[in-house]
Amino acid sequence: MRLKFRPVDSSFYDLFSEAANHLVVGSQLLSEMLSVGNSKAEIAQRMREAEHAADETTHSIIRRVNSTFVTPFDREDIYSLASALDDVMDMMDEAVDLVLLYEVTSLPPETTQQVEVLQRCAELTAAAMPKLESMGSLDEYWIEINRLENTGDKSYRRILANLFSGEFEALEVMKLKDIVESLEGAIDAFEKVANIVEQIAVKES
């Protein structure tokens, strides 16, 4: 193990935790958006506010990197992790926006599993970010995210098969496919976050 003589700067870990907590909020709003009976316009507005807050956190991380001489780990890894966390929020925001714009009132039942995967990924990521400081027990995080991503992939394929079964009209298929692809994109983005965390942990070990 190589020795490290870097000064402790906990602000980066705090900001990454803050970014991950935005994802927990976003996944909850996404769940609300896909539930029957909720005000979609109101939820979409709350999601826009959450996405803006997430952007502000990302900008704070970038400003911190640019103003810090010695960072807790490689600058490129900090940039990559901040960008990947932001990508997750962007994809969830896109899904919510599409539901509102397309005036979708119901989605295939299988989308529930996709949203549950996203919520679990968000919870795990929020729990993992503080561990970056000590790099402890992070292998459990990326292994579980990978498993969840595989579950999401299977759910995605089942949804597509259902959409193209002939049960839906062509225009409805196009609308639902866009939304489902945004959900899948968010799950894939979580896997990218986990992969970056793994790379950081390997470098720092």
Side-chain angles (χ1 to χ4, degrees), residues 9 11-12 62-72 75:
D9 183 352
S11 63
F12 283 103
I62 301 306
R63 285 194 296 268
R64 188 69 181 169
V65 173
N66 293 338
S67 64
T68 302
F69 182 67
V70 179
T71 55
R75 292 173 185 272

Side-chain angles (χ1 to χ4, degrees), residues 116-175:
E116 288 174 351
V117 166
L118 282 169
Q119 289 183 293
R120 184 59 181 150
C121 285
E123 291 167 359
L124 289 169
T125 300
M129 289 301 103
K131 297 177 182 178
L132 285 171
E133 189 163 9
S134 64
M135 297 294 169
S137 303
L138 282 167
D139 55 333
E140 297 173 4
Y141 164 67
W142 63 69
I143 290 170
E144 181 61 11
I145 292 290
N146 180 260
R147 186 193 69 78
L148 287 166
E149 195 273 336
N150 289 335
T151 299
D153 279 348
K154 292 176 183 177
S155 176
Y156 173 65
R157 290 193 292 269
R158 286 195 295 271
I159 294 170
L160 288 185
N162 185 24
L163 289 179
F164 292 109
S165 65
E167 178 183 345
F168 299 89
E169 295 184 3
L171 183 59
E172 194 70 9
V173 169
M174 293 173 64
K175 291 179 179 180

